[in-house]
Amino acid sequence: MSELKWGDRELAYDSSAFVRGSGHYVDDIKLPGMIHMSVLRSPYARARILSLKGGMSSKDLGARMASVGEGASPEAGLSIEPVFATGFVNYVGEPVAAVFADDRYKSTDLLESIEVDYEPLEPVVTIDDALKLGPIHSGRKDNIMVETSKGTDFQDPESPIVIEDTLENDRISANPIEPRGIVTSYTDGMLNVWISTQAVHSVKEGLVESLGISPESVRVMQTDTGGGFGSKGGLYPEYVMASYASMKFGKPVKWIETRREHLASTNPGRGVRGKVKIFAERNGRINGLKGEVTIDAGAYDSGIASFSPGFVAMQMTGPYSIEKAFVVARALFTNKVPQGPYRGAGRPEASFFIERMMDMLADELAMDPADLRLLNMSDKPFVSPMGLKIDAARPFFEGAVRELEYRRESKMSRGVGLSFFVLVPAVYPGESARIIVKDGKVSVWLGGNSHGQGHEIFVKKLINEELQVPEELVTLYRGDTGMTKTGVGTWGSRSAIVAGAAIVAVCKKIKQEVEKEFGSYSVRSLLSSGYDEFINNELKMPLNSFGANLATVEIEKMGRVRVKKCAAYYDVGRALNRDMVIGQIQGGMAQGIGQTLHEGLFYNKEGQLITSSISDAGVPLAEDLPNFIVNIVENRSFLPHGAKGLGEAPTVGVPTALTRAIESVSGKRLRRTPVTPEELMK
Amino acid sequence: MHPSSFEYFAPTKMEEALELLSKYGEDAKIMSGGQSLIPLLKLRIASFPYVIDISGVQGLNRITENKEFLEIGALTTISSIADSELIKKRYQILHEAAGQIADPLIRNRGTIGGNISHGDPSNDIPAVAIALKANLEVIGKEGKRIVEAHSFVTDSFTNVLKVGEILNKIRIPVAPDNSGGCYIKQKKSAGDFSVAAIAVQLSLHDNDSVKSAGIGLTSVAPKPTRAMKAERFLEGKKINDSVVREAAKIVVSESDPSTDFYGSSEFKRKVLGKIAEEAINLSFERATVR
């Protein structure tokens, strides 16, 4: 492999490079004098560290504790993951020490030279353990990390029908093709960081906080990123170690995660339980909903734990016009790797809870599940008691039932599942964009960067629309904090909305500049001059959209499920590029099938991870996937470019539709994902 | 995914391999296809100062048949076995098992000798070797000896080979007329190990009663298991539904599956019971096709 001179070479982002095999990933970086880091990790779910000799460890970092670096109260301080375990380890895979050598074989060898004495302690492994056993962190009175509620409590109505159940999504690993990785280099007082990430600014802010250095002395640059699915959104302990080491040793440092490390130590998603009670009339009309949401948050707050419980709770009435609702939600400490966002990040969980309950209520009343849903929808916009804003649901769902041919499908076979959801993209607080026009070319940076979505395709299209610049003259560069003062990141179905809006806004600014200079706008004038405009385009209004899925299945021998059909009907707003939209939906549907049938992280009673290879963790294979049917609805949003959110829609809609299809055909009540052959054979 | 350092040898003659093996003793590990060993080395679950790669040793990748035996050299790849017309025609059970091992890339490199010697209770060939009552020829500096297939693997990842010995050939007795067998493997997904798998080989008398039965089990005990009680139960009996059900029950009683992410031990017993019935019925059907 040729030596790359990073810093000199262009950091242009071009999705077609991945197809041509010419992507430049973080592990492709080779800098003179670079050393490799390997991390010694806890073999215990919970233990006291009696002694530790060798390697870089917490004592080298002094008082620096924070990993995520959110301004912490003394109590919250206990819940933030330390860079290196300090006195105790709290999950299998927690970093204890790091070693460095000039190649990866030697650094791996060096791990064996570290001596650690542990005194194993009784671990808290499950949600039930967390509620029953004493706190994992001394100084706290229990294992409740956060507790909140949404809606207003109400007296149980005297409804003739009351159903109650407990539903759960097991934890799953993000498992992008490329695991995490970082290269750090400290020269002349400047910390340069190259990283596989969804958000260069999050990484930068975290490093600034954790290392206690000034924002001006850190530059974080994104390399090509082979997927993230939420797991590469923020800061991790290894990033702080590698940065600190490059400052201490004066040498570039590289760390590349192994798949085993990914499964053990990268924040997985899901791991949420919902207890839901529904009050209804005999005709199917729902009077009220009460619920409890419990998140298996792991040993520390990964950064979303304080937000997640309320976010799941807020969506628990789904797209239905339920007038009374109250949900208590909490995140619990367990001796497992901190839970984090995974494609959907709270949305699929909430949808699983309400959609499973809708199907159960339909069964209870012997109603058709689509009819029951229709009965509980509004023709007008609706704001739920928990503050969820939705448009008129009924017309959309009627369209979905028609286009997905639900009535025909459900006449033809028993194994049909239908789901309906409202997608809540992470619009807040908007996104930044910068455009430089120089030498007849247009260069673009976004605050949130592509990790496989293909941002450059809509960037070129929108700039062409706004400024009439031919697409071949536009280049999107990878995320770089050196080129954008602020920025957010790519997650939560947000980029087409917020990055798209930022591009439109910065184009308008440039157009005004051109008009000021030349009297009127023309693309020739634009390209003949020079401009450099940055905008931090705030967006705070929710921009929710509807989606529906239909799945049909067969159950083969020994409880093996064969997905026959997986169809989507999504409102994506204006589709900025149809092929990209279809690709997003197909990929997401594969992941939805994965969650439903194959994927799970399983721990034994001692808190040891049993699923320690990618095969064991159960990613779906080609033979598991059906033909996908994609119906795109284009109801423009209020934004100038008309986009709505999309990325997470399939992981919200598919697990619920698929679980229902399996339930219908097996006759077994299904309450959790993954749905295993064992459960179907019971 | 970076193994600790080791010295690598690639002998081309068996004598050289045995010489190296006796020189380095327990510090040496034999590698043939490397499909199990290399992952273990990369994950540092195992490390050996000396790796002796015998894949270049000549003459050990042949499939031949004489009056008494089908003889398969230990270095014969799984895909050669799956593709062999001879095996497909006359040893269907072995053909079926070979075609279901992992994926084509692994089958192209993995060998029958490695599949047996590794001692993984989830490897498929040992159960087939047990059902076919194969003899395994072991070679050492002192000469050759024969080990019966069912006693070769002694525990998880442990076998009867003494320091300095290598598995040389697999000898499968030529099946008499009126014989049939099958390998049924229940797995979670393509390319995966099994939840449970069973190899059954039946030979029948002229009156269709069972003359001899061979039953080997995969993934349902700490080692590949011979279901000897079920074999004895079947011998002399005529196959009917109640006999098959009873035999399957006995098979399950001879298993000892553990609970893991493939499912609980109870689930694996249930799966084993179902595939045992299926396998006995199918073997009988094949044995009666004349």
Side-chain angles (χ1 to χ4, degrees), chain A residues 104-106 108-110 112 258-260 557-560 598 602 610-612 615-619 621 623-624 677-679 681-682, chain B residues 1-5 43-45 184-193 260-268 270-271 274-275 278:
Chain A
R104 234 182 280 176
Y105 290 88
K106 287 184 197 149
T108 314
D109 286 345
L110 277 176
E112 286 158 31
T258 65
R259 185 61 58 181
R260 283 210 153 201
K557 66 170 192 173
M558 312 291 168
R560 270 200 72 175
H598 308 287
F602 299 111
I610 305 301
T611 44
S612 60
S615 159
D616 299 349
V619 291
L621 305 178
E623 70 148 8
D624 302 317
E678 174 158 14
E679 198 168 352
M681 267 183 81
K682 262 181 197 152
Chain B
M1 296 300 276
H2 294 79
S4 41
S5 66
L43 293 168
R44 297 200 181 205
I45 290 169
I184 298 185
K185 181 175 183 179
Q186 185 60 33
K187 46 189 175 178
K188 257 173 72 172
S189 54
D192 202 356
F193 288 113
D260 56 28
F261 60 88
Y262 289 108
S264 65
S265 54
E266 188 195 349
F267 168 65
K268 291 181 184 177
K270 198 184 273 182
V271 170
K274 292 202 180 229
I275 59 176
E278 208 180 308

Coordinates of all heavy atoms in Angstrom, one line a residue, chain A residues 104-106 108-110 112 258-260 557-560 598 602 610-612 615-619 621 623-624 677-679 681-682, chain B residues 1-5 43-45 184-193 260-268 270-271 274-275 278:
Chain A
R104 N 1.6 -3.7 15.3 CA 0.4 -4.1 16.1 C 0.7 -5.5 16.7 O 0.0 -5.9 17.7 CB -0.8 -4.2 15.1 CG -1.9 -3.4 15.7 CD -3.1 -3.5 14.8 NE -3.0 -2.6 13.7 CZ -3.9 -2.5 12.7 NH1 -5.0 -3.3 12.7 NH2 -3.8 -1.7 11.7
Y105 N 1.6 -6.3 16.1 CA 1.9 -7.6 16.7 C 2.6 -7.4 18.0 O 2.3 -8.0 19.0 CB 2.8 -8.4 15.7 CG 2.1 -8.9 14.5 CD1 2.1 -8.1 13.3 CD2 1.5 -10.1 14.5 CE1 1.4 -8.5 12.2 CE2 0.9 -10.6 13.3 CZ 0.8 -9.8 12.2 OH 0.2 -10.2 11.1
K106 N 3.5 -6.4 18.0 CA 4.3 -6.2 19.3 C 3.4 -5.5 20.3 O 3.5 -5.9 21.5 CB 5.5 -5.2 19.0 CG 6.6 -5.9 18.2 CD 7.8 -5.0 18.0 CE 8.7 -5.5 17.0 NZ 9.4 -4.4 16.3
T108 N 0.3 -6.0 20.7 CA -0.6 -7.1 21.2 C 0.2 -8.0 22.1 O -0.3 -8.4 23.2 CB -1.2 -7.9 20.0 OG1 -1.7 -7.0 19.1 CG2 -2.3 -8.8 20.5
D109 N 1.5 -8.3 21.8 CA 2.4 -9.0 22.7 C 2.5 -8.3 24.0 O 2.5 -9.0 25.1 CB 3.8 -9.1 22.1 CG 3.9 -10.1 20.9 OD1 2.9 -10.9 20.8 OD2 4.9 -10.1 20.2
L110 N 2.6 -7.0 24.0 CA 2.9 -6.3 25.2 C 1.7 -6.4 26.2 O 1.9 -6.2 27.4 CB 3.1 -4.8 24.9 CG 4.5 -4.4 24.5 CD1 4.6 -2.9 24.1 CD2 5.5 -4.7 25.6
E112 N 0.4 -8.9 27.2 CA 0.7 -10.0 28.1 C 1.6 -9.6 29.3 O 1.8 -10.3 30.2 CB 1.2 -11.2 27.4 CG 0.1 -11.9 26.5 CD 0.6 -12.7 25.4 OE1 1.7 -13.2 25.5 OE2 -0.1 -12.8 24.3
T258 N -10.6 -4.3 17.0 CA -10.9 -5.6 16.4 C -12.4 -5.8 16.5 O -13.1 -5.2 17.2 CB -10.1 -6.7 17.1 OG1 -10.7 -6.8 18.5 CG2 -8.6 -6.4 17.2
R259 N -12.8 -6.8 15.7 CA -14.3 -7.2 15.8 C -14.7 -7.6 17.2 O -15.7 -7.3 17.7 CB -14.6 -8.3 14.8 CG -16.0 -8.6 14.6 CD -16.9 -7.5 14.2 NE -16.5 -6.9 12.9 CZ -17.1 -5.9 12.3 NH1 -18.1 -5.3 12.8 NH2 -16.6 -5.5 11.1
R260 N -13.8 -8.3 17.9 CA -14.1 -8.8 19.2 C -14.3 -7.6 20.2 O -15.1 -7.5 21.0 CB -12.9 -9.6 19.8 CG -13.0 -11.0 19.3 CD -12.4 -12.0 20.3 NE -13.1 -13.2 19.9 CZ -13.2 -14.3 20.7 NH1 -12.7 -14.2 21.9 NH2 -13.8 -15.3 20.3
K557 N -39.1 -25.8 8.9 CA -39.0 -26.7 10.0 C -38.0 -26.2 11.1 O -37.2 -25.3 10.8 CB -38.5 -28.1 9.5 CG -37.1 -28.1 8.9 CD -36.7 -29.5 8.7 CE -35.2 -29.5 8.3 NZ -34.6 -30.8 8.2
M558 N -38.2 -26.6 12.3 CA -37.4 -26.3 13.5 C -37.5 -24.8 13.8 O -36.5 -24.2 14.2 CB -35.9 -26.7 13.3 CG -35.7 -28.1 12.8 SD -36.1 -29.3 14.0 CE -36.1 -30.8 13.0
G559 N -38.6 -24.2 13.5 CA -38.8 -22.8 13.9 C -38.0 -21.8 13.0 O -37.8 -20.6 13.5
R560 N -37.5 -22.2 11.9 CA -36.8 -21.2 11.0 C -37.8 -20.4 10.2 O -38.6 -20.9 9.6 CB -35.8 -21.9 10.1 CG -34.4 -22.1 10.7 CD -33.4 -22.3 9.7 NE -33.1 -21.1 8.9 CZ -32.1 -21.0 8.0 NH1 -31.4 -22.0 7.7 NH2 -31.9 -19.9 7.4
H598 N -32.3 -12.4 13.9 CA -31.0 -12.9 14.1 C -30.1 -12.3 15.2 O -29.3 -13.0 15.8 CB -30.2 -12.8 12.7 CG -31.0 -13.4 11.6 ND1 -31.1 -14.7 11.4 CD2 -31.6 -12.8 10.6 CE1 -31.8 -14.9 10.3 NE2 -32.1 -13.8 9.8
F602 N -25.7 -11.6 23.8 CA -26.1 -12.4 24.9 C -25.0 -12.5 25.9 O -23.9 -12.8 25.6 CB -26.7 -13.7 24.5 CG -27.8 -13.6 23.6 CD1 -27.8 -13.9 22.2 CD2 -29.0 -13.0 24.1 CE1 -28.8 -13.7 21.4 CE2 -30.1 -12.9 23.2 CZ -30.0 -13.2 21.9
I610 N -21.4 -13.8 25.5 CA -21.4 -15.1 24.8 C -21.2 -14.9 23.3 O -20.6 -15.7 22.6 CB -22.7 -15.9 25.1 CG1 -22.9 -15.9 26.6 CG2 -22.6 -17.2 24.5 CD1 -21.8 -16.6 27.4
T611 N -21.8 -13.9 22.8 CA -21.8 -13.7 21.3 C -20.6 -12.8 20.9 O -20.7 -11.6 20.7 CB -23.1 -12.9 20.9 OG1 -23.3 -11.9 21.9 CG2 -24.3 -13.9 20.9
S612 N -19.4 -13.5 20.9 CA -18.2 -12.7 20.8 C -17.6 -12.7 19.3 O -16.5 -12.2 19.1 CB -17.2 -13.2 21.8 OG -16.9 -14.5 21.5
S615 N -20.4 -13.7 13.6 CA -21.3 -14.7 13.2 C -22.3 -15.0 14.4 O -23.5 -15.1 14.2 CB -20.5 -16.0 12.8 OG -21.3 -17.1 12.9
D616 N -21.7 -15.1 15.6 CA -22.5 -15.3 16.8 C -23.5 -14.2 17.0 O -24.6 -14.4 17.5 CB -21.7 -15.5 18.0 CG -20.7 -16.6 17.9 OD1 -20.9 -17.4 17.0 OD2 -19.8 -16.7 18.8
A617 N -23.1 -12.9 16.7 CA -24.0 -11.8 17.0 C -25.1 -11.7 16.0 O -26.0 -10.9 16.1 CB -23.2 -10.5 17.0
G618 N -25.0 -12.6 14.9 CA -26.2 -12.8 14.1 C -26.5 -11.8 13.0 O -27.7 -11.6 12.8
V619 N -25.6 -11.2 12.3 CA -25.9 -10.3 11.3 C -26.7 -11.1 10.2 O -26.3 -12.2 9.9 CB -24.7 -9.5 10.6 CG1 -24.2 -8.6 11.6 CG2 -23.7 -10.5 10.2
L621 N -27.8 -12.7 6.7 CA -27.1 -13.1 5.5 C -28.0 -12.9 4.3 O -29.2 -12.8 4.4 CB -26.6 -14.5 5.6 CG -25.8 -14.9 6.9 CD1 -25.5 -16.3 6.9 CD2 -24.5 -14.0 6.9
E623 N -29.1 -15.0 2.2 CA -30.1 -16.0 2.0 C -31.3 -15.7 2.9 O -32.4 -16.2 2.8 CB -29.6 -17.4 2.3 CG -29.3 -17.6 3.7 CD -29.5 -19.1 4.2 OE1 -29.8 -19.9 3.3 OE2 -29.4 -19.3 5.4
D624 N -31.1 -14.8 3.9 CA -32.2 -14.5 4.9 C -33.1 -13.4 4.3 O -34.1 -13.0 4.9 CB -31.6 -14.0 6.2 CG -30.7 -15.1 6.8 OD1 -31.1 -16.2 6.8 OD2 -29.7 -14.7 7.3
P677 N -35.9 -19.4 16.9 CA -36.5 -20.7 16.6 C -36.9 -21.4 17.8 O -38.0 -22.1 17.8 CB -35.4 -21.5 15.9 CG -34.4 -20.5 15.3 CD -34.5 -19.3 16.3
E678 N -36.2 -21.3 18.9 CA -36.5 -22.0 20.1 C -37.9 -21.5 20.6 O -38.7 -22.4 21.0 CB -35.5 -21.7 21.2 CG -35.9 -22.2 22.6 CD -34.7 -22.4 23.5 OE1 -33.6 -21.9 23.2 OE2 -34.9 -23.1 24.5
E679 N -38.2 -20.2 20.6 CA -39.4 -19.7 21.0 C -40.6 -20.3 20.1 O -41.6 -20.6 20.6 CB -39.4 -18.2 21.0 CG -40.5 -17.6 21.8 CD -40.3 -16.1 22.0 OE1 -39.2 -15.6 21.6 OE2 -41.2 -15.4 22.5
M681 N -40.6 -23.0 18.6 CA -40.8 -24.5 18.7 C -41.4 -24.9 20.1 O -41.7 -26.0 20.3 CB -39.5 -25.2 18.6 CG -39.2 -25.6 17.1 SD -37.6 -26.5 17.0 CE -38.1 -28.1 17.6
K682 N -41.6 -23.9 21.0 CA -42.1 -24.2 22.3 C -43.5 -24.8 22.2 O -44.3 -24.4 21.4 CB -42.1 -22.9 23.2 CG -40.9 -22.9 24.1 CD -40.9 -21.6 25.0 CE -39.5 -21.4 25.5 NZ -39.3 -20.0 25.8
Chain B
M1 N -6.5 -9.4 16.5 CA -6.3 -10.3 15.4 C -4.9 -10.5 15.0 O -4.6 -10.6 13.8 CB -7.2 -9.9 14.3 CG -8.7 -9.9 14.6 SD -9.3 -11.5 15.1 CE -9.6 -12.2 13.5
H2 N -4.0 -10.4 15.9 CA -2.6 -10.6 15.6 C -2.0 -11.6 16.4 O -1.8 -11.4 17.6 CB -1.9 -9.2 15.8 CG -2.4 -8.2 14.8 ND1 -3.6 -7.5 15.0 CD2 -1.9 -7.8 13.6 CE1 -3.8 -6.7 14.0 NE2 -2.8 -6.8 13.1
P3 N -1.6 -12.8 15.8 CA -1.1 -13.9 16.6 C 0.3 -13.6 17.2 O 1.0 -12.7 16.7 CB -1.0 -15.0 15.6 CG -0.9 -14.4 14.3 CD -1.7 -13.1 14.4
S4 N 0.6 -14.3 18.3 CA 2.0 -14.1 18.8 C 2.9 -14.8 17.8 O 2.5 -15.7 17.0 CB 2.1 -14.7 20.2 OG 1.4 -15.9 20.3
S5 N 4.2 -14.5 17.9 CA 5.1 -15.0 16.8 C 5.3 -16.5 16.9 O 5.2 -17.1 18.0 CB 6.4 -14.3 16.9 OG 7.0 -14.6 18.1
L43 N -6.8 -14.9 17.4 CA -7.5 -14.4 18.6 C -6.7 -14.7 19.8 O -7.1 -14.3 20.9 CB -8.9 -15.1 18.7 CG -9.9 -14.7 17.6 CD1 -11.1 -15.7 17.7 CD2 -10.3 -13.3 17.8
R44 N -5.5 -15.3 19.6 CA -4.6 -15.7 20.8 C -5.3 -16.6 21.8 O -5.0 -16.5 23.0 CB -4.0 -14.5 21.4 CG -3.1 -13.7 20.4 CD -2.2 -12.8 21.1 NE -1.4 -12.0 20.1 CZ -0.2 -11.5 20.4 NH1 0.4 -11.7 21.5 NH2 0.5 -10.9 19.4
I45 N -6.3 -17.3 21.3 CA -6.9 -18.3 22.2 C -5.9 -19.5 22.4 O -5.8 -20.1 23.4 CB -8.3 -18.8 21.6 CG1 -9.3 -17.7 21.7 CG2 -8.8 -20.1 22.3 CD1 -10.6 -18.0 20.9
I184 N -28.1 -35.1 8.7 CA -29.0 -34.0 8.8 C -28.5 -32.9 9.8 O -28.1 -33.3 11.0 CB -30.4 -34.4 9.2 CG1 -31.0 -35.4 8.1 CG2 -31.4 -33.2 9.4 CD1 -32.4 -35.8 8.3
K185 N -28.4 -31.7 9.3 CA -27.7 -30.7 10.1 C -28.7 -29.5 10.3 O -29.1 -28.9 9.3 CB -26.5 -30.2 9.4 CG -25.6 -29.1 10.1 CD -24.4 -28.9 9.3 CE -23.5 -27.8 10.0 NZ -22.2 -27.6 9.3
Q186 N -29.0 -29.2 11.5 CA -29.9 -28.0 11.7 C -29.1 -26.8 12.2 O -28.4 -26.9 13.2 CB -31.0 -28.4 12.8 CG -32.0 -27.3 13.0 CD -32.8 -27.0 11.8 OE1 -33.1 -27.9 10.9 NE2 -33.2 -25.8 11.6
K187 N -29.1 -25.8 11.3 CA -28.3 -24.6 11.7 C -29.1 -23.4 11.7 O -30.1 -23.3 11.1 CB -27.0 -24.5 10.9 CG -27.2 -24.7 9.4 CD -25.9 -24.8 8.6 CE -26.1 -25.1 7.2 NZ -24.8 -25.1 6.4
K188 N -28.5 -22.4 12.4 CA -29.2 -21.1 12.5 C -29.2 -20.3 11.2 O -30.2 -19.8 10.8 CB -28.5 -20.2 13.6 CG -29.2 -20.1 14.9 CD -28.4 -19.4 15.9 CE -28.3 -17.9 15.7 NZ -27.7 -17.2 16.8
S189 N -28.0 -20.3 10.6 CA -27.9 -19.6 9.3 C -26.8 -20.2 8.5 O -26.0 -21.0 8.9 CB -27.5 -18.1 9.6 OG -26.4 -18.0 10.4
A190 N -26.8 -19.8 7.2 CA -25.9 -20.4 6.2 C -24.4 -20.3 6.8 O -24.1 -19.2 7.3 CB -26.0 -19.7 4.9
G191 N -23.7 -21.3 6.6 CA -22.2 -21.2 7.0 C -22.0 -21.4 8.4 O -20.8 -21.5 8.8
D192 N -23.0 -21.5 9.2 CA -22.8 -21.6 10.7 C -22.6 -23.0 11.1 O -22.8 -24.0 10.4 CB -24.1 -21.0 11.4 CG -23.8 -20.5 12.8 OD1 -22.6 -20.7 13.3 OD2 -24.7 -20.0 13.4
F193 N -22.1 -23.2 12.4 CA -22.1 -24.5 13.0 C -23.6 -24.9 13.2 O -24.5 -24.1 13.1 CB -21.4 -24.4 14.3 CG -19.9 -24.3 14.2 CD1 -19.2 -23.1 14.6 CD2 -19.1 -25.3 13.6 CE1 -17.8 -23.0 14.5 CE2 -17.7 -25.2 13.5 CZ -17.1 -24.1 13.9
D260 N -26.4 -22.4 25.2 CA -25.6 -21.3 24.6 C -26.5 -20.4 23.7 O -27.7 -20.6 23.8 CB -24.3 -21.8 23.9 CG -24.7 -22.7 22.8 OD1 -25.8 -22.6 22.2 OD2 -23.8 -23.6 22.5
F261 N -25.9 -19.6 22.9 CA -26.7 -18.7 22.1 C -27.4 -19.4 21.0 O -28.3 -18.8 20.4 CB -25.9 -17.5 21.6 CG -24.8 -17.8 20.7 CD1 -25.0 -18.0 19.4 CD2 -23.5 -18.1 21.3 CE1 -24.0 -18.3 18.6 CE2 -22.5 -18.4 20.4 CZ -22.7 -18.6 19.1
Y262 N -27.1 -20.6 20.7 CA -27.9 -21.4 19.8 C -29.2 -21.8 20.4 O -30.1 -22.2 19.7 CB -27.1 -22.6 19.3 CG -26.0 -22.3 18.4 CD1 -24.7 -22.5 18.8 CD2 -26.2 -21.9 17.1 CE1 -23.6 -22.2 18.0 CE2 -25.1 -21.6 16.2 CZ -23.8 -21.7 16.7 OH -22.8 -21.5 15.9
G263 N -29.3 -21.8 21.7 CA -30.5 -22.2 22.4 C -30.2 -23.0 23.6 O -29.1 -23.3 23.9
S264 N -31.3 -23.3 24.4 CA -31.1 -24.0 25.6 C -30.8 -25.5 25.3 O -31.1 -26.0 24.2 CB -32.4 -23.9 26.5 OG -33.4 -24.5 25.8
S265 N -30.4 -26.2 26.4 CA -30.1 -27.6 26.2 C -31.4 -28.3 25.9 O -31.5 -29.3 25.1 CB -29.5 -28.2 27.4 OG -30.2 -27.9 28.6
E266 N -32.5 -27.8 26.5 CA -33.8 -28.4 26.2 C -34.2 -28.3 24.7 O -34.7 -29.2 24.1 CB -34.8 -27.7 27.1 CG -36.2 -28.2 27.2 CD -37.1 -27.2 27.8 OE1 -36.7 -26.1 28.3 OE2 -38.3 -27.4 27.7
F267 N -34.0 -27.1 24.2 CA -34.3 -26.8 22.8 C -33.5 -27.8 21.9 O -34.0 -28.4 20.9 CB -34.0 -25.4 22.5 CG -34.0 -25.0 21.0 CD1 -35.2 -25.1 20.3 CD2 -32.8 -24.6 20.4 CE1 -35.2 -24.8 18.9 CE2 -32.8 -24.2 19.0 CZ -34.0 -24.3 18.3
K268 N -32.2 -27.9 22.2 CA -31.3 -28.7 21.4 C -31.7 -30.2 21.4 O -31.7 -30.9 20.4 CB -29.9 -28.6 21.9 CG -29.3 -27.2 21.6 CD -27.9 -27.1 22.0 CE -27.3 -25.8 21.8 NZ -25.9 -25.7 22.3
K270 N -34.8 -31.2 21.8 CA -36.0 -31.2 21.0 C -35.6 -31.3 19.5 O -36.2 -32.1 18.8 CB -36.8 -30.0 21.3 CG -38.3 -30.1 20.9 CD -39.0 -28.9 21.1 CE -39.6 -28.7 22.5 NZ -40.4 -27.5 22.6
V271 N -34.7 -30.5 19.1 CA -34.2 -30.5 17.7 C -33.6 -31.8 17.4 O -33.9 -32.4 16.3 CB -33.2 -29.3 17.5 CG1 -32.6 -29.5 16.1 CG2 -33.9 -28.0 17.6
K274 N -36.1 -34.5 16.8 CA -36.8 -34.4 15.5 C -35.9 -34.9 14.3 O -36.4 -35.6 13.5 CB -37.3 -33.0 15.3 CG -38.4 -32.6 16.2 CD -39.2 -31.5 15.7 CE -40.3 -31.2 16.7 NZ -41.6 -31.0 16.2
I275 N -34.7 -34.4 14.4 CA -33.8 -34.8 13.2 C -33.4 -36.2 13.3 O -33.1 -36.9 12.3 CB -32.6 -33.8 13.1 CG1 -31.7 -33.8 14.3 CG2 -33.0 -32.4 12.7 CD1 -30.4 -32.9 14.1
E278 N -36.2 -38.1 11.6 CA -36.1 -37.8 10.2 C -34.9 -38.6 9.6 O -35.0 -39.2 8.5 CB -35.8 -36.3 10.1 CG -36.3 -35.7 8.8 CD -36.0 -34.2 8.8 OE1 -36.3 -33.5 9.8 OE2 -35.4 -33.8 7.8

